[in-house]
Structures are given as C-alpha cells and as structure tokens.
Amino acid sequence: MKKDRPSDIKRELTVGEVAERSGLAVSTLHFYETKGLIRSNRSRGNQRRYPRSVLRRVAVIKVAQRTGIPLAEIQSALSVLPDDRPLTVDDWGRLSKTWRQQLDERIAKLTALRDQLTGCIGCGCLSMRDCPLRNPWDVLASEGTGPRLIDPADGPEHDAS
C-alpha cells in the first residue's frame, strides 16, 4: 500500500481506494451505502467520493458484524453519530456498551442451549414432556402426540397470538 502524500490527506477517497484500504469489495461498500451505514458525495462526473472518516466507520461496521450484530442495529446506532468526522473513542465506547449487553444476553442463551443439548440425545424429538429446547413446559401437549414443529421459528414462543 502506498503512503499518502501531504497534498492527498484532505482529498476524498474513491470507492476503489476505500475498498483497497478496508479490504471490502466495492459491491459491499455500495450495499452499505444503500443501507445508510456510510455515505458518499458525488463528483462532478457523478462518481462516488468518500470522506476519509469512512474508513473508521467501515472498521466499526466490520467488527460489529463479526460479533453478530444485525446491520439494521448497526445502522440505527451509527445514525445518531456524525458522519463528517472519524468515530472517536467515546463514540466507540457508547456503541460497544450497548452491543456488549446484547452479546452477553446472546452468550447466556447459547450457553443454556449448549447445556440443554445433552438431554436431547435419543429423546425422540418432542417425546419428552418437558423438552427445554422445543417444547418447554409441554405447551404442545394439547395438540396431540408426536412431533408438531418443523422449524424452530414455528414454536409457541414465536406465536403472534
């Protein structure tokens, strides 16, 4: 990677430069832009130009995605921050505090799931009256015997009624 010359420091970056420096595909940058995660300006020739601060913003997006934060939540969190300057340590502190709580909750759920898997081996899927994974508190007993669910999203905890 080449070093910036002092005269280049203030100029905006092309989409190719952002892609090269961030390690993302150009199409990913365009996608991020359509989702409101980053923004660009247009040159007189209608080409995208990004402020240099987009590099730190993209880095934050990549870290958040790696932790499993959905893009909609990332966009919501970033929308309250100015996009005309790089994200600061304080900005990151506020973002990470919110995401840390969500990650802690997800870790707790995954740990409970992992710990409950042992009881599932050989149970015949839903044959246990109190299956903690697919039929907690035997809520499906009123529907009769045998398996009732095909997809976890179909479970009673996802029922809209």
Side-chain angles (χ1 to χ4, degrees):
M1 196 177 307
K2 66 179 183 172
K3 284 272 203 189
D4 290 328
R5 296 182 311 253
S7 62
D8 289 341
I9 301 244
K10 296 256 185 225
R11 77 173 178 84
E12 293 180 310
L13 301 170
T14 66
V15 69
E17 289 169 325
V18 174
E20 180 183 345
R21 292 186 61 180
S22 68
L24 293 174
V26 169
S27 60
T28 301
L29 295 170
H30 291 169
F31 176 75
Y32 284 176
E33 194 170 347
T34 63
K35 294 297 181 185
L37 295 160
I38 61 175
R39 68 163 185 81
S40 67
N41 300 311
R42 295 293 181 148
S43 70
R44 281 188 254 172
N46 202 29
Q47 297 174 329
R48 287 179 169 89
R49 295 290 186 258
Y50 294 91
R52 291 176 115 39
S53 61
V54 79
L55 294 170
R56 188 167 297 165
R57 196 174 198 82
V58 165
V60 167
I61 294 165
K62 287 171 63 174
V63 167
Q65 282 187 292
R66 276 202 182 139
T67 61
I69 305 296
L71 280 179
E73 288 182 34
I74 298 169
Q75 191 281 330
S76 177
L78 291 175
S79 70
V80 299
L81 299 173
D83 54 12
D84 61 345
R85 64 162 171 80
L87 298 177
T88 65
V89 171
D90 289 339
D91 295 333
W92 176 247
R94 285 189 299 277
L95 292 174
S96 65
K97 182 178 180 182
T98 301
W99 292 336
R100 181 182 190 89
Q101 181 180 350
Q102 292 172 1
L103 289 172
D104 286 344
E105 290 169 7
R106 193 173 324 136
I107 289 167
K109 286 178 183 177
L110 287 171
T111 300
L113 177 64
R114 180 203 61 206
D115 294 347
Q116 293 169 347
L117 280 176
T118 302
C120 283
I121 296 174
C123 82
C125 192
L126 297 181
S127 63
M128 293 174 60
R129 287 191 167 274
D130 61 346
C131 178
L133 299 176
R134 297 293 288 139
N135 189 18
W137 307 287
D138 200 22
V139 295
L140 296 173
S142 64
E143 294 184 19
T145 60
R148 296 281 170 225
L149 303 176
I150 295 173
D151 186 280
D154 295 335
E157 68 275 8
H158 297 283
D159 190 3
S161 57

